[in-house]
Amino acid sequence: MHRVASSGNTSGSSRPRREKRLTYVLNDADATKHCAGINCLAVLKSSAADEFDSLFTGSRDGTLKRWSLSEDGPSCSATFESHVDWVNDAVLAGGNTLVSCSSDTTVKVWDSLSDGTCIKTLHQHSDYVTCLASANKESNTIASAGLGGEVFIWDIEAALTPTTKSSDTTKDDGTNGINGSASTLPLTTLRPVGSSNNISLHTPQPQGYVPTAAKGHKESVYALAMNESGTLLVSGGTEKVVRVWDPRTGSKTMKLRGHSDNIRVLLLDSTGRFCLSGSSDSMIRLWDLGQQRCLHSYAVHTDSVWALASTPTFSHVYSGGRDRSLYLTDLATRESVLLCTKDNPISQLAMHDDGIWVATTDSSVHKWPAEVRNPQKVFERGGSFLAGNLSFSRARVSLEGSAPVPIYQEPSYSILGTPGIVQHEILNNRRHVLTKDSAGTVKLWEITKGIVIKNYGEVSFEKTKEELLEMVSIPAWFTVDTRLGSLSVHLETPQCFSAEIYSVDLNISGKPEDDKVNIARETLKGLLAHWLMKRKQKSGSSALANGDMPSGKDISSRTLPLSRTEVDGNAENDSLVYPPFEFSVAFPPSIMTEGSHGGPWRKKITDLDGSKDEKDFPSWVLDCVLNNRLPARENTKCSFYLLPFEGSSVQILTQGKLSAPRILRVHKVVNYVIEKMVLDKPLDSISSDGAFSAGLTDGSLRSGLKPWQKIKPSIEIFCNNQLLSPDMSLATIRTYIWKKSDDLVLNYRIAK
């Protein structure tokens, strides 16, 4: 799977270090709504009578949100933004602490009652962190596990204790205005977690907190559960067994077999004696941990079971999964009833008062009646069936057309999300991206401004793409993915600096006709305009004048060798942002990147307060926006031959091969031909190596000459016997007309 903001090689590697990339995430919808599937839920009961309960949701869009559950309906009261990939699970711990885990390999600790403050980032996992478990909402003990087979038990209070620079396990986000951390050792100093079955504690780094490691899993872990007292932990995953641990020591106490496929969800009763497990084999199993055996198997679902929740007495279980159905089952009598069906697979459940919140792979969350206090009321409505003990029994009933009818048709409350983007196409101009969301709406984005420039509605994506096809060739200076349900635009050096465009094509006023701008550079200036302004305000113009901030020489020597960098001579070394690169303030994009310390971070561009130093950004980004210095670029030139059109009587003007910028237009080649023909003498606009000189490649003719359109004779330029438009660039001609790897051949003649 795709990893966001991956770091480069370690300093000890002999291979070239890979520069960290910068990603910005676009949105055009209500920031209070999720735009991708909901992976996790957590309910916080209010401590005061005049306060409302809160629901926390974690999404594949990379954010968590807090919803105030008032009598008038849920409302978003905070967004927690710091993860750079899917949020996979979230639990509440002591002291109003919210803990989340993500596919970005981190566990993050938040103040649940804040406006979204990340207190600490815990770096211990080597792969996606898939699940969390907590003892109870007053305990500081939590467990985390993931695809690396690692299971860690954390004391959150100890993990939050300030550490010195020698700690490599925890990163303090609270001191950083961007989302960085205190300087720490590289993550590569962590001792790898093996697959030994012996109990093992990580050797603590000097003065740094290290969690307890429960070793035993050889494969991915998908599910965790802990009893209320924190004395028992269960885990399961692709090994198809339930492992039982003592979280206080990390020791493994037993292993339970019975499932025939991946274990996806686990649930313990308050005492820790009974355990429920849900699996991809579609079965729910009830285990007696004291007897170390399976008491019952329940064939309720027709597909993988992903979510379980029980009544307070552990007498009934609510279950959901890939079959999009929510069931209630009496664990003693095996009687089951279908509560509701959804349009998408059910990912997690959370009990709240007498109802149940249901999260799905859709961006919305719904609360359904559940009669939690007296579940027998549901069975009195009829429509129940007896759960079998073989996985195929429910599937067979479904195929026979006797599937149960859901008790409820509509939810009690709904928290609606926005449709996520499911399809995209980068257009040839490399500034527009066409998207289609899960509701079928097609939109056209301008990524250098972060806005939707046209909403086509529910139309054919393929037909619209064809209608927008342009015969233009621009280097691929960015990549895009929609993993988070929105457009994530990735910039990597030096590739992102490969595209240039004439200012006139962007309607930038006050610039010469042949002024060029580097698209990535101007985009970065637009993205970081707020940060640059805040940084300037905080440092003060006098501090900058006195050299308190790093000079261009200082930063360039720290980032890229001088031989591999070049100063962008055409661009002004200031923070001026051209209109085509002004990003929306109403829907500001979020930046995801990684600096020289602290790990990956994410924040809206309007929330960057400039309070921290440059170590939070990749060095090449700073080189660009602060010092106007770009890495050396390749493939910016196009070689070509300029020959008379076959059968034409015009003279031969050049000998040998010419070269010019890829974006050079045909009308500038016409200028060159006319000048040669009219003046009929060697020009200083051709360099000794046969390349177009700066004067002519920029389209300027020597003083006294008229514009090319008014000069006679009129010249036509051909390629492959096809007459070329004056606005075509050399790159476009090579891509769409020449279509060969050989050097381009252009032919000229006097227009008939």
Side-chain angles (χ1 to χ4, degrees):
M1 288 191 284
H2 161 70
R3 298 189 186 284
V4 177
S6 60
S7 60
N9 297 321
T10 63
S11 58
S13 172
S14 60
R15 293 177 295 175
R17 179 175 61 89
R18 183 181 178 183
E19 292 287 347
K20 301 174 179 67
R21 72 180 178 184
L22 182 138
T23 296
Y24 59 100
V25 184
L26 304 180
N27 73 87
D28 70 327
D30 189 345
T32 65
K33 296 182 179 181
H34 286 298
C35 63
I38 310 299
N39 282 342
C40 53
L41 302 169
V43 174
L44 177 65
K45 301 291 289 185
S46 63
S47 57
D50 58 345
E51 296 178 351
F52 299 113
D53 296 343
S54 296
L55 174 70
F56 295 88
T57 56
S59 171
R60 296 179 180 182
D61 64 16
T63 69
L64 299 102
K65 294 184 184 296
R66 183 182 68 233
W67 306 88
S68 177
L69 304 178
S70 66
E71 296 177 354
D72 298 330
S75 60
C76 182
S77 54
T79 296
F80 300 80
E81 185 175 18
S82 182
H83 284 297
V84 299
D85 209 333
W86 289 9
V87 176
N88 293 323
D89 204 359
V91 295
L92 290 160
N96 294 320
T97 300
L98 177 69
V99 183
S100 62
C101 68
S102 168
S103 295
D104 63 14
T105 76
T106 69
V107 175
K108 289 184 181 285
V109 184
W110 315 77
D111 179 353
S112 67
L113 301 182
S114 72
D115 58 356
T117 303
C118 182
I119 304 172
K120 185 83 74 172
T121 299
L122 308 177
H123 297 266
Q124 191 77 18
H125 287 272
S126 63
D127 210 328
Y128 293 5
V129 190
T130 56
C131 52
L132 298 171
S134 61
N136 60 62
K137 292 181 176 61
E138 304 303 322
S139 171
N140 288 312
T141 302
I142 69 153
S144 62
L147 299 188
E150 303 147 326
V151 178
F152 296 115
I153 298 101
W154 303 82
D155 182 331
I156 293 300
E157 185 176 13
L160 294 182
T161 302
T163 59
T164 64
K165 294 183 179 181
S166 60
S167 170
D168 65 344
T169 302
T170 61
K171 303 292 178 75
D172 186 358
D173 288 337
T175 61
N176 194 325
I178 292 178
N179 193 37
S181 65
S183 296
T184 57
L185 294 175
L187 292 181
T188 51
T189 62
L190 290 177
R191 188 162 65 88
V193 178
S195 57
S196 168
N197 291 333
N198 296 327
I199 307 164
S200 174
L201 297 180
H202 276 255
T203 303
Q205 301 294 329
Q207 302 178 349
Y209 173 78
V210 178
T212 301
K215 294 186 177 181
H217 280 285
K218 300 178 178 63
E219 298 178 15
S220 299
V221 181
Y222 288 145
L224 288 174
M226 193 181 296
N227 67 336
E228 285 192 358
S229 60
T231 58
L232 199 67
L233 174 70
V234 291
S235 62
T238 58
E239 296 171 69
K240 309 170 189 176
V241 298
V242 178
R243 295 184 184 271
V244 185
W245 315 82
D246 183 342
R248 296 165 294 186
T249 62
S251 59
K252 184 175 62 178
T253 59
M254 70 183 80
K255 183 165 58 176
L256 304 172
R257 301 182 182 275
H259 284 292
S260 60
D261 207 336
N262 300 340
I263 294 173
R264 300 304 304 263
V265 59
L266 292 165
L267 189 64
L268 281 173
D269 75 332
S270 58
T271 65
R273 177 179 177 181
F274 297 105
C275 173
L276 281 166
S277 59
S279 167
S280 296
D281 62 15
S282 78
M283 296 295 293
I284 300 172
R285 290 183 179 270
L286 176 63
W287 308 85
D288 187 323
L289 301 186
Q291 300 180 22
Q292 300 189 25
R293 69 185 185 93
C294 178
L295 297 179
H296 297 289
S297 297
Y298 305 91
V300 176
H301 292 270
T302 59
D303 208 332
S304 180
V305 181
W306 290 355
L308 296 172
S310 74
T311 55
T313 59
F314 216 71
S315 60
H316 296 73
V317 63
Y318 299 86
S319 59
R322 194 171 179 178
D323 62 3
R324 310 176 183 184
S325 301
L326 176 65
Y327 288 95
L328 170 63
T329 303
D330 188 321
L331 296 177
T333 65
R334 308 181 64 87
E335 190 177 10
S336 292
V337 63
L338 176 62
L339 295 180
C340 66
T341 56
K342 303 291 295 174
D343 295 329
N344 298 278
I346 295 173
S347 53
Q348 201 167 66
L349 305 171
M351 313 301 296
H352 181 228
D353 295 337
D354 216 23
I356 184 168
W357 287 100
V358 179
T360 71
T361 55
D362 182 28
S363 58
S364 300
V365 183
H366 304 280
K367 185 179 182 181
W368 292 83
E371 300 290 353
V372 176
R373 299 185 183 93
N374 187 6
Q376 284 303 127
K377 288 184 178 180
V378 179
F379 292 101
E380 292 172 1
R381 292 172 171 259
S384 63
F385 62 93
L386 196 63
N389 55 13
L390 298 176
S391 60
F392 63 82
S393 59
R394 282 289 299 115
R396 185 178 65 243
V397 169
S398 178
L399 291 173
E400 291 172 354
S402 56
V405 177
I407 297 294
Y408 304 109
Q409 303 298 322
E410 296 293 335
S412 306
Y413 295 100
S414 293
I415 300 175
L416 299 179
T418 59
I421 297 174
V422 296
Q423 191 175 2
H424 71 277
E425 183 74 23
I426 300 173
L427 301 189
N428 291 345
N429 63 17
R430 300 292 174 180
R431 290 187 296 118
H432 295 160
V433 177
L434 191 68
T435 64
K436 179 181 178 181
D437 62 30
S438 57
T441 302
V442 176
K443 297 178 180 179
L444 184 64
W445 295 75
E446 185 169 358
I447 65 160
T448 56
K449 294 174 68 74
I451 60 172
V452 172
I453 56 178
K454 187 166 184 179
N455 186 336
Y456 291 91
E458 297 182 25
V459 298
S460 169
F461 181 83
E462 294 299 327
K463 184 177 180 181
T464 306
K465 182 176 69 173
E466 292 175 3
E467 293 173 351
L468 293 172
L469 179 64
E470 292 181 85
M471 197 163 68
V472 59
S473 179
I474 304 291
W477 62 278
F478 67 93
T479 58
V480 165
D481 72 53
T482 56
R483 174 177 170 80
L484 303 180
S486 51
L487 273 184
S488 295
V489 183
H490 309 294
L491 304 181
E492 295 190 68
T493 188
Q495 300 94 320
C496 68
F497 296 110
S498 62
E500 293 180 325
I501 191 169
Y502 288 112
S503 298
V504 66
D505 293 333
L506 296 172
N507 297 317
I508 297 176
S509 60
K511 293 290 182 181
E513 176 192 359
D514 302 300
D515 180 73
K516 299 187 293 289
V517 297
N518 186 285
I519 302 178
R521 178 186 184 272
E522 300 307 320
T523 300
L524 287 171
K525 284 171 55 182
L527 283 169
L528 298 180
H530 183 85
W531 177 77
L532 288 167
M533 178 187 67
K534 290 290 187 180
R535 176 180 177 276
K536 186 175 182 179
Q537 290 174 352
K538 294 207 172 192
S539 62
S541 58
S542 60
L544 290 173
N546 293 331
D548 291 346
M549 302 307 295
S551 66
K553 182 177 179 181
D554 293 336
I555 292 185
S556 65
S557 62
R558 188 184 71 218
T559 59
L560 297 169
L562 287 177
S563 61
R564 295 292 298 161
T565 62
E566 55 188 49
V567 174
D568 186 356
N570 292 329
E572 301 171 5
N573 189 12
D574 58 23
S575 57
L576 175 66
V577 177
Y578 298 130
F581 301 94
E582 292 177 346
F583 282 83
S584 169
V585 177
F587 302 109
S590 297
I591 284 181
M592 299 194 303
T593 190
E594 181 178 3
S596 60
H597 71 182
W601 55 270
R602 169 176 173 167
K603 209 160 196 179
K604 290 192 179 301
I605 60 172
T606 50
D607 291 337
L608 299 174
D609 59 12
S611 63
K612 209 59 179 172
D613 61 22
E614 287 82 11
K615 293 181 180 179
D616 297 298
F617 290 98
S619 54
W620 61 269
V621 173
L622 300 173
D623 245 359
C624 172
V625 299
L626 296 180
N627 299 277
N628 206 27
R629 186 176 291 276
L630 306 182
R633 288 161 285 172
E634 300 176 358
N635 300 323
T636 59
K637 297 285 187 179
C638 178
S639 299
F640 66 99
Y641 292 94
L642 188 59
L643 304 174
F645 189 80
E646 185 176 355
S648 173
S649 60
V650 295
Q651 68 267 37
I652 297 176
L653 302 177
T654 63
Q655 298 291 334
K657 185 165 55 177
L658 304 175
S659 67
R662 288 169 47 91
I663 63 172
L664 187 81
R665 300 291 179 83
V666 168
H667 74 74
K668 295 175 184 178
V669 178
V670 170
N671 284 353
Y672 171 77
V673 172
I674 291 175
E675 187 171 90
K676 289 280 286 182
M677 296 179 69
V678 171
L679 298 180
D680 193 26
K681 63 180 180 179
L683 297 174
D684 57 7
S685 58
I686 297 293
S687 59
S688 59
D689 61 354
F692 273 72
S693 72
L696 194 55
T697 57
D698 286 344
S700 59
L701 300 176
R702 67 170 48 116
S703 177
L705 288 181
K706 300 178 181 180
W708 68 273
Q709 296 94 334
K710 298 180 180 180
I711 297 178
K712 299 298 182 181
S714 180
I715 299 298
E716 295 175 332
I717 304 295
F718 291 80
C719 179
N720 279 345
N721 294 320
Q722 181 175 334
L723 179 63
L724 303 178
S725 165
D727 290 329
M728 272 191 179
S729 69
L730 296 181
T732 301
I733 297 168
R734 169 175 283 279
T735 302
Y736 294 99
I737 298 176
W738 183 244
K739 299 179 182 179
K740 301 176 186 177
S741 59
D742 303 337
D743 288 325
L744 180 65
V745 176
L746 299 181
N747 303 106
Y748 58 93
R749 75 178 185 188
I750 298 176
K752 296 179 180 179

